[in-house]
Amino acid sequence: MAFALRALHHRLPRSLHHSNPLSTSASSHDLRELLRIQRILGDPAATTQPPQTQQRPLASSTTHLHRLLHRAAGLSTAEATSLLHRVPNTHRLGHLLQELRGLRLPADEIKNALGSDPDGLLSMEPGEPSRLIELLDELRCRAPIKDQVLSHGVLSAAIATRRRVELLHERGLSRRDALRVISVEPRAILYSLEDVERKVEFLVGRMGFEIGWLVEYPEFLGINLDRSIVPRHNVVEYLASVGGLGDPIEMRHYVRFSRLKFYNLFVKPYPECERIFGGLVRERKDEVRRQHPVGLWKLFKPAKYESTEENVKDMKLVVESLH
């Protein structure tokens, strides 16, 4: 290396050897380049770092991560060491732990997230957990649904939300639109990732709609696919094959029509569609539902008692006393 640098030194132009570093005629870039070359020529070993200086920052960084894992997630030294061996990007882990600690999340919740889905947590960018947790805290839905979403902790729900956002983003939605869909229809978090992916594939591949329709009809991801969407689409496919459809079918027919309204519009005029739709809805509707079990009316019938002459006299005396 030194021999090559000396050869480079001899091949440099004379103007470069004898130029004054403080001369104002040369540009600042040339001055910096000249100083760099002179530093290399003067001390070639200055560009290489000794092994000790490379190991010290790593050791201090590992110690800092152990301390963060203990304070934020309550991990022991052995658990932290095992986790760091499995984590490729420890720099991102440090930023995430500092952010999660600033959110004042329970240590058990962070520990469970690191143990159950470390890849999902480490895939988040800095600042993303805060935004997702804020979104989950401000969900506008029924209380039972929100309780189910947050049943395993807000951090676990944030990781599940991000995985569904990334799934929709891979299928063509922007991350902003995907996050909007999940915030409007949080029931999508309750379905597994495989179910959400199957719904998207059915929407695009089988029904022929574009993925962008989810922005206008996000409730599609919160409806049971097998019990609601598939029977309706089977009826639509049959009517299209026999020429029974007048107007084109839209997403609102699948999502926002009640079962009875869809039945009256598409199934009732075609009796052969009742089996496709999932049973004879007409017979179930006309069936009379009994108020009480058979024979229960006898329990509400008052008991009869025989009236004797003594009871009649007593009643007369009571009536006369009232006058």
Side-chain angles (χ1 to χ4, degrees), residues 52-95:
Q52 291 80 4
T53 58
Q54 293 180 356
Q55 294 295 332
R56 288 175 184 172
L58 292 177
S60 62
S61 176
T62 304
T63 305
H64 180 63
L65 285 175
H66 275 80
R67 191 180 299 111
L68 276 177
L69 287 171
H70 177 69
R71 293 178 179 177
L75 296 183
S76 62
T77 304
E79 292 173 338
T81 304
S82 176
L83 176 65
L84 292 177
H85 284 310
R86 293 183 284 112
V87 173
N89 193 344
T90 57
H91 181 69
R92 175 176 291 184
L93 176 62
H95 285 288

Side-chain angles (χ1 to χ4, degrees), residues 8 68 75 119 166 184 189 202 271 317:
L8 177 63
L68 276 177
L75 296 183
D119 296 334
E166 290 300 318
V184 175
I189 306 175
F202 190 86
L317 291 175

Side-chain angles (χ1 to χ4, degrees), residues 93-280:
L93 176 62
H95 285 288
L96 286 174
L97 289 174
Q98 291 178 354
E99 182 178 353
L100 295 176
R101 190 183 176 194
L103 294 173
R104 300 183 181 276
L105 296 177
D108 293 338
E109 191 171 331
I110 301 176
K111 183 177 181 180
N112 293 334
L114 289 172
S116 60
D117 193 1
D119 296 334
L121 180 60
L122 295 177
S123 63
M124 295 186 182
E125 298 292 337
E128 196 170 3
S130 303
R131 294 191 296 270
L132 290 175
I133 290 174
E134 182 180 0
L135 180 141
L136 292 171
D137 289 338
E138 297 177 356
L139 282 180
R140 296 181 179 180
C141 60
R142 291 180 295 170
I145 295 178
K146 188 172 183 179
D147 293 340
Q148 291 182 23
V149 170
L150 303 178
S151 60
H152 298 289
V154 66
L155 183 58
S156 177
I159 296 174
T161 302
R162 190 187 187 277
R163 286 198 174 276
R164 283 146 185 80
V165 168
E166 290 300 318
L167 172 63
L168 296 177
H169 176 65
E170 292 175 359
R171 294 308 180 98
L173 282 183
S174 65
R175 286 189 173 89
R176 181 183 296 273
D177 288 340
L179 197 60
R180 178 185 174 187
V181 169
I182 300 299
S183 63
V184 175
E185 186 49 75
R187 289 181 297 176
I189 306 175
L190 302 178
Y191 286 96
S192 65
L193 202 63
E194 291 76 14
D195 288 339
V196 176
E197 186 175 6
R198 195 162 68 95
K199 288 179 181 179
V200 174
E201 291 179 354
F202 190 86
L203 174 70
V204 178
R206 181 82 179 274
M207 299 172 64
F209 289 97
E210 295 182 356
I211 189 69
W213 281 99
L214 290 178
V215 180
E216 187 175 355
Y217 298 95
E219 53 266 39
F220 180 84
L221 296 179
I223 299 177
N224 190 285
L225 181 65
D226 296 324
R227 288 185 298 182
S228 181
I229 302 299
V230 173
R232 298 187 184 196
H233 185 66
N234 291 338
V235 171
V236 170
E237 280 188 334
Y238 173 78
L239 294 179
S241 64
V242 298
L245 290 178
D247 299 330
I249 298 298
E250 301 177 0
M251 275 286 291
R252 60 188 181 93
H253 297 118
Y254 293 98
V255 174
R256 296 183 179 172
F257 275 28
S258 65
R259 179 179 174 85
L260 182 60
K261 187 175 182 179
F262 186 89
Y263 169 80
N264 291 332
L265 188 61
F266 296 100
V267 181
K268 191 174 182 179
Y270 308 94
E272 65 273 16
C273 291
E274 292 185 346
R275 181 180 56 83
I276 302 174
F277 190 58
L280 298 177

Side-chain angles (χ1 to χ4, degrees), residues 39-55:
R39 185 172 63 253
I40 294 174
L41 293 175
D43 187 10
T47 57
T48 60
Q49 297 180 354
Q52 291 80 4
T53 58
Q54 293 180 356
Q55 294 295 332

